[in-house]
Amino acid sequence: MDNKARSLKMDIDTVLNNYDYDFSKVEVTSLGNGHINNTYKLTTPDFEFVLQQINHDIFTKTVELSSNAQKINVHLLQQKNNGNYPLAVPQQVLSKTGETCIKIGSNYWRLMEFINNSYTLEEVESPEQAALVASAFAEFSCALSDFPAKDLAVIIEDFHDISFRMRQLKEAVANDIQGRLSDCQALVNFCFAQQSFIDHVVDISKKLPLHVTHNDTKINNLLFTTGDKPCAVIDLDTCMPGLLMHDFGDMVRTCCSNLAEDDTSTEKMVLKLDIFEALISNYQNTFADKMTALEKESLIVGAKLLPFIIGTRFLTDHLNGDNYFQVSRKNHNLDRAISQVQLFTLVCEAEPELIKLAQ
């Protein structure tokens, strides 16, 4: 066992001493393929758990993050017990002293229930699957519609604030600290040319009600069970007060392109209208009368916003030297930015058709 593995084992042993379970015989294996937190499955003769080391460099409000998750889980469990929420609610396990997370050195850890016979999927492959994804995330936010969103801490400030993200891009362009601007000037110009769309986002955002939103509505943040049926919403790290159009827009962003996020063959990108129709019809139908008319209208705004805002973030990070998003090749973030801006363009071009599909 090398020093890193030995240190990790000691940290995990120290963490587990804070919980009222017998971990004298425990098997620890890596779980999932997340890029931010380190997640492990713990197996004992009697129990299975998920143990997670929270990345405190990305999530600086670590205690608030686990506190938010606890508040959400308590509310969802109450809704489930009242017959108003069909999915499982994986609970955080409180420490012996009632804490939602444990600090060991500079690292924060939390223990969670493991849902037996569950698994994750990495991409939406059919309209039927898209319908299940949209319904599951809608059921999640719908069950939280009577939870006061402002009772949750804001984990990442200005996360979907387009004005803030454009200011970040403007600063990155002005500084050009890596000398990369000349290679992407046309893309920068395109982003700044979208001011009328940006103004519309700012205007409609002021008129929309706050909800508890998930803010990372990828298919791999659902657990599935036999028959590829969603059984739980997971990864509540970015849950905070937000707008439904953000969650819906992220589903469109991650489900409706035929290409991976960093694929360089953007000229081959198409918008999968059958997937979009399944997403928007099932998202709206699940909410029913708990979604206002303006919120329904905003969903297509969100479908344009999320590719655009993520595209500008990738572009900003490229100009700043790839400090936020992990990269594995030269111009990786620029490739991602080009891809997301192309998706934004396709959604804008298809908007008249999308409006028909939403009705």
Side-chain angles (χ1 to χ4, degrees):
M1 184 183 297
D2 60 24
N3 288 339
K4 185 176 181 181
R6 188 177 296 107
S7 176
L8 175 64
K9 184 181 184 306
M10 289 177 61
D11 283 354
I12 290 177
D13 288 344
T14 304
V15 170
L16 297 182
N17 285 336
N18 288 275
Y19 293 94
D20 206 10
Y21 290 88
D22 180 5
F23 288 107
S24 58
K25 297 178 181 178
V26 61
E27 179 185 354
V28 181
T29 54
S30 293
L31 185 65
N33 58 0
H35 297 307
I36 295 179
N37 299 322
N38 295 319
T39 307
Y40 306 93
K41 180 182 177 183
L42 307 183
T43 305
T44 76
D46 300 312
F47 304 101
E48 291 180 307
F49 295 96
V50 175
L51 179 67
Q52 190 169 70
Q53 181 186 344
I54 305 170
N55 187 329
H56 58 272
D57 292 322
I58 299 295
F59 297 116
T60 57
K61 297 182 178 180
T62 325
V63 175
E64 291 92 335
L65 180 155
S66 61
S67 176
N68 275 4
Q70 187 66 17
K71 292 175 182 177
I72 289 169
N73 283 341
V74 167
H75 187 86
L76 288 179
L77 191 59
Q78 185 177 40
Q79 291 282 61
K80 183 175 180 63
N81 290 338
N82 291 337
N84 298 323
Y85 186 58
L87 302 177
V89 187
Q91 295 292 305
Q92 292 184 138
V93 180
L94 300 183
S95 72
K96 293 175 183 177
T97 56
E99 300 299 320
T100 56
C101 63
I102 301 295
K103 187 178 183 184
I104 303 296
S106 61
N107 294 318
Y108 291 82
W109 300 77
R110 61 178 170 178
L111 191 66
M112 296 171 285
E113 289 182 334
F114 178 82
I115 303 296
N116 289 321
N117 302 315
S118 65
Y119 52 91
T120 57
L121 300 173
E122 289 304 314
E123 62 179 299
V124 168
E125 296 179 342
S126 68
E128 293 75 20
Q129 212 171 45
L132 293 172
V133 170
S135 295
F137 281 117
E139 284 163 346
F140 176 81
S141 284
C142 202
L144 290 160
S145 60
D146 59 347
F147 181 95
K150 291 184 177 179
D151 285 0
L152 296 181
V154 175
I155 300 302
I156 303 176
E157 296 287 344
D158 302 316
F159 192 49
H160 289 318
D161 186 329
I162 187 61
S163 299
F164 171 71
R165 296 304 184 184
M166 296 308 291
R167 288 196 299 272
Q168 286 185 313
L169 178 58
K170 186 176 182 180
E171 182 179 339
V173 168
N175 292 334
D176 191 21
I177 57 176
Q178 298 292 324
R180 295 175 171 179
L181 179 59
S182 60
D183 292 333
C184 55
Q185 185 69 62
L187 187 61
V188 167
N189 292 345
F190 178 87
C191 291
F192 285 129
Q194 308 309 308
Q195 192 58 51
S196 61
F197 170 66
I198 294 166
D199 291 341
H200 179 51
V201 170
V202 171
D203 179 62
I204 198 171
S205 296
K206 295 174 183 175
K207 302 172 183 176
L208 294 169
L210 283 178
H211 289 262
V212 177
T213 47
H214 187 279
N215 295 306
D216 195 10
T217 50
K218 299 190 294 287
I219 189 174
N220 62 7
N221 281 329
L222 295 174
L223 290 181
F224 289 79
T225 189
T226 306
D228 284 355
K229 301 293 185 185
C231 64
V233 174
I234 58 172
D235 193 0
L236 309 187
D237 296 350
T238 52
C239 287
M240 49 189 165
L243 306 177
L244 295 183
M245 71 173 183
H246 297 151
D247 271 5
F248 180 75
D250 208 31
M251 276 188 279
V252 172
R253 186 185 78 83
T254 56
C255 297
C256 288
S257 170
N258 63 315
L259 300 180
E261 184 179 73
D262 58 355
D263 196 309
T264 57
S265 55
T266 50
E267 72 282 356
K268 298 178 182 177
M269 183 183 291
V270 295
L271 185 68
K272 295 189 279 190
L273 294 178
D274 56 343
I275 299 293
F276 178 88
E277 183 176 16
L279 290 174
I280 200 162
S281 61
N282 285 275
Y283 197 70
Q284 290 183 144
N285 290 343
T286 302
F287 266 96
D289 59 358
K290 291 186 178 181
M291 183 185 292
T292 67
L294 187 61
E295 284 182 303
K296 289 182 179 180
E297 180 184 322
S298 77
L299 296 183
I300 290 177
V301 177
K304 293 186 288 185
L305 174 62
L306 266 292
F308 182 73
I309 204 168
I310 298 298
T312 61
R313 290 178 62 197
F314 284 141
L315 184 55
T316 299
D317 201 31
H318 171 71
L319 290 167
N320 286 339
D322 308 313
N323 300 315
Y324 188 88
F325 297 105
Q326 293 181 354
V327 294
S328 59
R329 63 175 187 254
K330 183 180 179 182
N331 292 335
H332 199 169
N333 274 322
L334 178 57
D335 292 339
R336 289 164 167 157
I338 292 169
S339 174
Q340 291 303 290
V341 169
Q342 174 67 4
L343 182 56
F344 163 74
T345 302
L346 291 180
V347 175
C348 290
E349 291 172 350
E351 185 168 2
E353 181 69 16
L354 303 185
I355 291 172
K356 293 178 184 176
L357 295 175
Q359 292 171 348

